[in-house]
Amino acid sequence: MLRTSRFSWRLAALIALALSSAAVAQEAAAPQYPNYPSETPATFKQSSEGFDYERREVMIPMRDGVKLHTVILVPKGAHHAGILLTRTPYDADELTTHGHTGNLGATLNGYDNAPDVIVQDGYIRVVQDIRGKYGSEGDYVMNRPLHGPQNPTPIDESTDTYDTIDYLVKNIPESNGRVGTIGISYDGFEPLMSLVNPHPALKVAVPMNPMVDGWMGDDWFHNGAFRAQNLPYILEQTASRKNEIKFSSSVHDEYDLYLRAGATGEMARRYGLEQVGFWQKLVAHPAYDSFWSDQAVDKVLAGQPLKVPTMLVHSLWDQEDIYGAIAVYKAIKPKDTGNDKVFLVMGPWHHGQEIENASSLGAVQFGSDTGLYFRQKILRPFLAHYLKDDAPANPVAPVTAYETGSNVWRTFRQWPVATQARALYLGGDGKLGFARPSGEAYQEYVSDPAKPVPFRARPIQPVGYDPGQTWSEWLVDDQREASGRPDVVSWTSDVLTQPLVIRGQPVVHLRASTTGTDSDWVVQLIDVYPDMEPMDAAMGGYQLMIAGDILRGRYREGFTVAKPIKAGAPLDYSFELPTTDHVFLPGHRLMVQVQSSWFPLYDRNPQTYVDNIFFAKPGDYKKATQRIFGDSHVDLPVTSN
């Protein structure tokens, strides 16, 4: 063997030498052509001739030397203008180059921008790529935690915002030195970070639909159940600096895609997500441990002084971050002793719809453009009060809320308003009412992980906002299809003869048993329209979800530690539903639906206790019989005004 190896090595060396000599000879024989000068410059600075604004791109240095790519749009003729800053992981260039007409309003047609307000009031618009994304230097960390237990470095989104504002007020001569931060979703998380040790020039913050606590009820989990359909976002957002790596699938119906993969961990493995640091953190922290609680923004801000006026904007049908804005409001409002620093706006929108046409959401019509109302009647005067030199009066109420059902805007001094908790009981006979039922009646169903309940009608589209996609509308989908399934139980009230107004968060109190050792509980509060709607026939009998959420049963005794469920034992499960501001009108009925899967939005519970559901095995997924006992109820926050 040794001799053969030496011979082979010598032969390979001789062949390589011969090939190399031939290549050199061929290169020497190749004709040499003169260079023809390129007509494309190495860099091109676009002329602003004919534009109504000047575009400036700068790399702003942070305190550790990392430079962040920043686009500055200055209206021509601007003088003593306020600055509106958005920090984003979604490409500052893309958010500021939508128009090529030279008109600033057209240029700003994009995510986070309210062009009518920005242009009409002459603000200097600044959009910056956060650290590690697109044109900015440094490393990217999803929702980079503040300096502390989860981030030992002195650098975080708060310090980057401070350094950015410091640069802007010193280097934009057209500004008046007043800065506001504004953004939606991830970009709404950034204004919240600006409130931590804020720069003196920061005069106002407008976090809209912000990411706040990814475990309790925003993007990654809801009460312990993982949002499986966010896997593509995690891949695309974290696998490359410029989101160049895309999630691809040859399966049209995402229900089939996720079901065939089995456990979510296996789905992630198939797409290479084990290479991604954020996915590794999710897998390592399925419970609400210190990793999550240390960086929960509402908890962080509860411990901070209240220095900057803040308007929190919440969507009543936010399909992505329905938890965050209300959680922050509850955390910081007690510090607002003068009731003039913390403001809340709630509209009948999907995630981010406040900057779009919002005269309807799916099949639900509002009769007017509620997004335009928000921008012109609330956002515009609010920003002007803090960012303009002449400081016009602030006409905005501490709370402005859209009352769905009656479709009117109302104002309040605080939220929630005074309410009475009224228990709405899930009787054993399928009747829903305020009278406590007697006896041990129950409703039951069989939950089969092999046939999970889809969270909307199939085929299920991916998460996205491309033309033709209706992801943003799923919270207002007609629930009749679900209510007709044998693995969904429903309770319905009598027809209302008087309006029923609820304002606040309904609280679920289930007494239930399962033959498994783990279970999910999905509860939906629904407004059932009359069988015939004369003004809108398509809404006849419509079942509109007003509030709904999921609880992973292993966390029934506390979110920090998972525990098996005792099979067959009636146990108590309690959790809050998202905030409501709704009128159930006369002629309508109330409905409550309960089920044990919401797929593939949330990963399937195997219904057999395993240490980590991300890695459940095929044999762990088993049918279970679920019983809901008649003293289960939903506490409704009922008000008379």
Side-chain angles (χ1 to χ4, degrees):
M1 288 290 290
L2 184 59
R3 183 181 298 174
T4 304
S5 297
R6 286 177 177 173
F7 176 77
S8 300
W9 177 83
R10 288 173 181 171
L11 178 62
L14 289 171
I15 293 172
L17 179 61
L19 291 174
S20 176
S21 300
V24 170
Q26 185 177 8
E27 182 178 346
Q32 301 295 310
Y33 295 106
N35 289 331
Y36 199 78
S38 172
E39 296 179 348
T40 303
T43 59
F44 182 83
K45 183 177 181 181
Q46 187 172 3
S47 170
S48 62
E49 184 66 29
F51 283 35
D52 63 4
Y53 66 93
E54 179 184 345
R55 180 186 180 92
R56 304 169 190 167
E57 291 192 46
V58 295
M59 296 294 290
I60 298 180
M62 301 293 103
R63 63 191 64 185
D64 63 343
V66 168
K67 296 179 180 179
L68 304 186
H69 172 247
T70 309
V71 178
I72 303 171
L73 305 177
V74 183
K76 288 191 173 178
H79 179 69
H80 272 248
I83 298 172
L84 267 181
L85 168 65
T86 293
R87 305 186 66 249
T88 181
Y90 299 132
D91 191 357
D93 282 336
E94 172 66 17
L95 299 182
T96 56
T97 55
H98 282 261
H100 299 283
T101 64
N103 179 275
L104 180 57
T107 300
L108 291 176
N109 282 334
Y111 196 73
D112 285 311
N113 286 308
D116 44 359
V117 175
I118 295 170
V119 173
Q120 289 168 1
D121 282 7
Y123 294 115
I124 297 168
R125 185 70 171 119
V126 180
V127 183
Q128 180 183 75
D129 291 323
I130 64 172
R131 181 179 293 252
K133 295 302 294 184
Y134 292 90
S136 288
E137 299 172 351
D139 297 322
Y140 175 67
V141 176
M142 182 81 76
N143 298 111
R144 182 184 292 268
L146 290 169
H147 168 70
Q150 305 303 326
N151 177 8
T153 77
I155 304 302
D156 54 37
E157 301 295 355
S158 169
T159 64
D160 282 354
T161 306
Y162 189 103
D163 294 348
T164 298
I165 293 175
D166 197 60
Y167 177 94
L168 295 175
V169 296
K170 292 176 180 177
N171 291 276
I172 303 179
E174 297 90 346
S175 84
N176 61 5
R178 296 171 175 264
V179 179
T181 52
I182 189 170
I184 295 171
S185 192
Y186 201 129
D187 299 359
F189 159 78
E190 294 293 338
L192 294 175
M193 293 296 95
S194 74
L195 301 177
V196 179
N197 302 317
H199 193 284
L202 181 65
K203 303 302 180 184
V204 66
V206 184
M208 299 186 281
N209 312 107
M211 299 170 77
V212 169
D213 190 322
W215 196 95
M216 289 301 299
D218 285 329
D219 291 89
W220 316 124
F221 296 84
H222 274 224
N223 296 319
F226 179 67
R227 293 199 126 199
Q229 266 197 305
N230 274 349
L231 285 180
Y233 175 87
I234 295 169
L235 174 70
E236 295 178 7
Q237 185 66 17
T238 59
S240 67
R241 180 178 294 268
K242 295 187 176 182
N243 292 35
E244 296 160 319
I245 298 174
K246 301 299 181 182
F247 185 96
S248 60
S249 168
S250 58
V251 180
H252 178 62
D253 185 350
E254 292 222 331
Y255 185 97
D256 289 330
L257 175 67
Y258 284 80
L259 189 61
R260 291 170 187 171
T264 308
E266 172 60 18
M267 179 77 171
R269 187 198 63 78
R270 293 182 180 187
Y271 284 88
L273 270 164
E274 69 276 4
Q275 305 168 68
V276 171
F278 181 64
W279 172 250
Q280 295 171 13
K281 293 175 183 176
L282 288 174
V283 168
H285 301 281
Y288 195 66
D289 58 16
S290 60
F291 172 79
W292 296 108
S293 58
D294 285 346
Q295 58 184 299
V297 181
D298 55 328
K299 295 178 175 64
V300 169
L301 293 179
Q304 291 283 322
L306 183 60
K307 296 182 178 180
V308 180
T310 300
M311 175 188 284
L312 291 149
V313 182
H314 174 71
S315 296
L316 291 166
W317 283 294
D318 189 324
Q319 78 285 358
E320 294 177 26
D321 293 307
I322 202 165
Y323 177 88
I326 299 299
V328 172
Y329 179 82
K330 289 194 286 189
I332 67 175
K333 187 60 180 178
K335 299 173 181 290
D336 187 13
T337 55
N339 205 23
D340 59 355
K341 281 277 201 311
V342 179
F343 298 79
L344 176 65
V345 179
M346 297 188 294
W349 308 311
H350 66 64
H351 186 71
Q353 194 181 6
E354 58 266 32
I355 63 166
E356 304 173 6
N357 183 302
S359 55
S360 64
L361 177 56
V364 183
Q365 302 290 326
F366 304 125
S368 64
D369 187 345
T370 61
L372 180 64
Y373 182 93
F374 162 72
R375 295 191 303 275
Q376 291 296 323
K377 302 297 185 182
I378 303 172
L379 180 62
R380 186 179 182 187
F382 185 77
L383 291 175
H385 177 69
Y386 296 104
L387 295 181
K388 287 184 172 290
D389 283 347
D390 53 4
N394 178 21
V396 177
V399 177
T400 308
Y402 192 84
E403 185 179 271
T404 58
S406 60
N407 293 345
V408 296
W409 287 99
R410 299 195 185 278
T411 59
F412 306 98
R413 286 190 54 78
Q414 62 183 11
W415 188 266
V417 298
T419 60
Q420 173 190 2
R422 294 191 64 187
L424 187 65
Y425 286 95
L426 283 55
D429 56 358
K431 293 290 290 183
L432 194 63
F434 292 111
R436 184 186 183 97
S438 58
E440 282 291 318
Y442 58 82
Q443 297 269 67
E444 73 176 20
Y445 60 97
V446 175
S447 173
D448 185 357
K451 299 176 181 179
V453 181
F455 78 100
R456 64 184 319 197
R458 299 175 61 187
I460 290 176
Q461 298 175 334
V463 173
Y465 292 86
D466 291 337
Q469 288 184 302
T470 58
W471 155 253
S472 61
E473 302 172 5
W474 77 265
L475 278 175
V476 297
D477 285 352
D478 193 339
Q479 297 299 311
R480 273 179 286 201
E481 180 173 346
S483 65
R485 288 179 58 112
D487 49 2
V488 177
V489 289
S490 301
W491 295 260
T492 309
S493 74
D494 292 333
V495 174
L496 296 176
T497 59
Q498 299 291 328
L500 178 68
V501 183
I502 61 172
R503 293 198 174 102
Q505 291 188 257
V507 181
V508 173
H509 299 281
L510 290 185
R511 193 164 70 90
S513 67
T514 175
T515 57
T517 51
D518 198 1
S519 178
D520 287 349
W521 305 104
V522 179
V523 179
Q524 301 177 60
L525 175 65
I526 294 167
D527 185 343
V528 182
Y529 281 57
D531 292 336
M532 293 295 294
E533 280 283 290
M535 301 301 293
D536 190 353
M539 295 300 289
Y542 201 92
Q543 294 181 8
L544 175 65
M545 180 170 29
I546 304 305
D549 219 332
I550 186 171
L551 171 70
R552 183 138 286 173
R554 58 175 51 207
Y555 299 114
R556 58 172 290 275
E557 295 183 13
F559 292 134
T560 59
V561 179
K563 293 183 179 180
I565 295 171
K566 183 178 179 181
L571 300 172
D572 294 326
Y573 301 86
S574 297
F575 59 102
E576 291 182 325
L577 297 181
T579 289
T580 62
D581 186 16
H582 184 72
V583 180
F584 295 88
L585 297 172
H588 291 228
R589 292 175 293 161
L590 285 78
M591 175 182 283
V592 170
Q593 288 182 2
V594 177
Q595 59 206 57
S596 292
S597 50
W598 233 2
F599 188 76
L601 178 64
Y602 295 95
D603 62 340
R604 294 176 301 151
N605 192 317
Q607 302 182 160
T608 301
Y609 184 86
V610 295
D611 287 338
N612 193 326
I613 290 178
F614 285 124
F615 303 114
K617 304 301 182 185
D620 297 326
Y621 292 87
K622 296 179 181 178
K623 293 181 182 180
T625 299
Q626 320 286 66
R627 285 186 177 180
I628 311 296
F629 292 90
D631 53 351
S632 299
H633 58 280
V634 179
D635 286 339
L636 298 183
V638 176
T639 181
S640 58
N641 60 344

